[in-house]
Amino acid sequence: MNATATEKLQFRNIDIHSIPILQKYLSMATSRTCDYTLAGIYMWAGYFHYKYAIAADTLFIKGVAENNLQLPAFSLPIGRLPLNKSIRILREYCYERNKTLTLSAVPADIIQPLYEIGNITTQELTDWADYLYNAADLATLKGKPYNKKRNHINRFCSDNPGWQMEVITQRNIQEITDFYKTYGQPAVDSCYVTAVVEHDQTMRVLQNYFSLGFEGVALRTPSHGIVAFAIGECCRDTLFVHIEKMRHDVSGAGETINKLFAEHMLKLHDITFINREEDVGDPGLRAAKMSYHPCSILKKYNVTFI
C-alpha cells in the first residue's frame, strides 16, 4: 500500500540540532536568494513558523507566506527529487487537508518551470526582493559612485587612529554580544515587526555562533571598543550578509565594516556576488541598500496552484 503524502511528510521543529540536516540539503540549492541559506531558515523559523521534513532524500519546509502570516505556504523543495515529483507530493499533502498549495519566496527563474507543472497564479513579493552586488565593488568601493562611501570611511579612520578589524572568535564573542545588547535595540518607534524579530534572532545567532558555521568580523577602536560587526555565510559564488550592526553615533562605522567584511571574505573565498538581503518595505533600508548600487534585484513570488 502506497504511503500518503501526510505519512511521507513528517514535519519537525527547527532548532540548533536541525543544523546538520538543513545544511546538507541547503548546499544543493541553486538560487542566490537568501531564503535558501541556513540563516534564512534558522533565524526566521519562529516568525514564519517553519518546520521541516525529509522524504525521498529531499528537504520540504512548510510555514507561512512572507507577505501574509495567515497564509500557509511551503518553500521550494530541495534535494534528489525532480521538481515535478516534489510538487506532486506537496499538492497531495494539501489536498488531504482540503487546501491549495502555495509556495512562497519563489525565485523568478523558477516561475516558468512551475508553469510547466500545473496551472498557477503568481504574486510578486516587492518588499522581499534581495539586493545583489558585485563582490569586488563592495570590497574596493572604486569609482565615482562610491565617493561618499570612501569619504565616510576616511572620516572613520581619521577619527579613530589605531582601529582594528578582528575575526569573530571565542576571545571576542562575549564583548560583541555585550555591544549588541547595548547598541542593537530596535528603535522604539519602529513600525516593522521584523525589526524586533531580527534583533532577537541576532542575539540567538551570537549565542550559538560556533555551532552555525557562519563567518564574521568586528570593528574595534581604542576609545570605543567594539563599534560594529558583520556575520554571513558563503554559498557557492555568493556571500550572504545576514547581520550587520554598528554604532550610529560613530561616523563611518557602518561603511567601514561593510567594506572590511567584503574585502575579508573575498580574500578567503572564491565569491563573485554579495547578497545583502531584503528591505522588508523599510524606506530607510531600501535607500541604504540602493546607495551601494546593486547589480541586480532578485525578485521573489508567491505561487499558488489552482
Side-chain angles (χ1 to χ4, degrees):
M1 183 176 179
N2 292 332
T4 66
T6 297
E7 292 168 334
K8 292 176 183 176
L9 299 180
Q10 298 294 315
F11 286 97
R12 302 176 181 180
N13 291 330
I14 291 173
D15 56 28
I16 195 68
H17 304 294
S18 314
I19 298 303
I21 298 171
L22 294 175
Q23 285 178 322
K24 171 186 173 181
Y25 292 97
L26 292 173
S27 67
M28 303 178 191
T30 59
S31 172
R32 293 193 181 97
T33 58
C34 65
D35 307 271
Y36 302 93
T37 62
L38 179 58
I41 301 297
Y42 177 74
M43 288 182 66
W44 294 94
Y47 184 71
F48 290 119
H49 307 294
Y50 289 145
K51 294 179 182 293
Y52 81 96
I54 306 298
D57 202 20
T58 300
L59 172 66
F60 295 83
I61 293 176
K62 75 171 182 176
V64 295
E66 295 201 354
N67 66 332
N68 182 354
L69 300 184
Q70 306 305 312
L71 177 64
F74 296 80
S75 300
L76 278 173
I78 303 171
R80 182 178 62 82
L81 281 178
L83 183 60
N84 64 327
K85 292 186 177 180
S86 59
I87 294 298
R88 183 187 308 155
I89 291 174
L90 286 179
R91 295 187 75 176
E92 290 173 358
Y93 183 89
C94 292
Y95 179 79
E96 290 165 8
R97 287 157 178 75
N98 197 29
K99 304 287 186 182
T100 56
L101 170 61
T102 294
L103 304 172
S104 194
V106 176
D109 61 340
I110 306 297
I111 298 298
Q112 184 55 43
L114 291 176
Y115 270 118
E116 295 170 2
I117 292 173
N119 294 326
I120 61 173
T121 62
T122 63
Q123 177 190 22
E124 184 177 350
L125 302 173
T126 54
D127 292 343
W128 295 90
D130 286 2
Y131 292 78
L132 192 72
Y133 306 82
N134 287 313
D137 289 347
L138 297 196
T140 63
L141 298 179
K142 289 183 179 179
K144 186 175 180 179
Y146 296 106
N147 281 349
K148 289 184 178 180
K149 304 297 184 187
R150 293 196 303 272
N151 289 340
H152 285 302
I153 294 172
N154 290 337
R155 169 71 183 275
F156 173 83
C157 295
S158 176
D159 289 348
N160 301 280
W163 64 268
Q164 293 181 315
M165 185 199 79
E166 303 173 357
V167 173
I168 297 177
T169 66
Q170 293 281 6
R171 297 181 62 180
N172 58 18
I173 188 67
Q174 187 57 54
E175 188 177 357
I176 293 168
T177 302
D178 292 341
F179 158 80
Y180 188 62
K181 288 179 180 177
T182 302
Y183 295 101
Q185 294 293 335
V188 293
D189 60 346
S190 176
C191 61
Y192 297 96
V193 176
T194 51
V196 177
V197 175
E198 196 258 356
H199 169 270
D200 294 345
Q201 293 310 310
T202 295
M203 187 62 67
R204 186 181 178 210
V205 167
L206 290 172
Q207 292 167 345
N208 295 285
Y209 182 78
F210 300 102
S211 299
L212 297 171
F214 296 162
E215 297 177 79
V217 300
L219 182 60
R220 181 189 299 276
T221 71
S223 57
H224 298 295
I226 300 295
V227 296
F229 69 95
I231 293 172
E233 63 179 304
C234 287
C235 302
R236 298 164 299 282
D237 64 356
T238 303
L239 165 65
F240 294 82
V241 180
H242 298 307
I243 300 170
E244 187 179 83
K245 303 298 177 183
M246 73 292 299
R247 280 185 59 166
H248 295 283
D249 62 334
V250 176
S251 180
E255 290 83 358
T256 304
I257 194 69
N258 187 314
K259 180 180 185 298
L260 290 174
F261 190 39
E263 187 177 23
H264 174 73
M265 296 299 281
L266 192 59
K267 289 178 181 178
L268 292 180
H269 301 280
D270 185 19
I271 58 172
T272 304
F273 300 103
I274 295 178
N275 183 320
R276 291 181 56 78
E277 304 190 347
E278 317 100 329
D279 60 43
V280 296
D282 184 326
L285 270 178
R286 183 166 297 171
K289 292 177 187 292
M290 289 301 297
S291 73
Y292 276 95
H293 308 289
C295 63
S296 181
I297 305 294
L298 304 181
K299 295 181 179 181
K300 307 173 195 176
Y301 298 82
N302 282 347
V303 175
T304 300
F305 284 81
I306 55 177

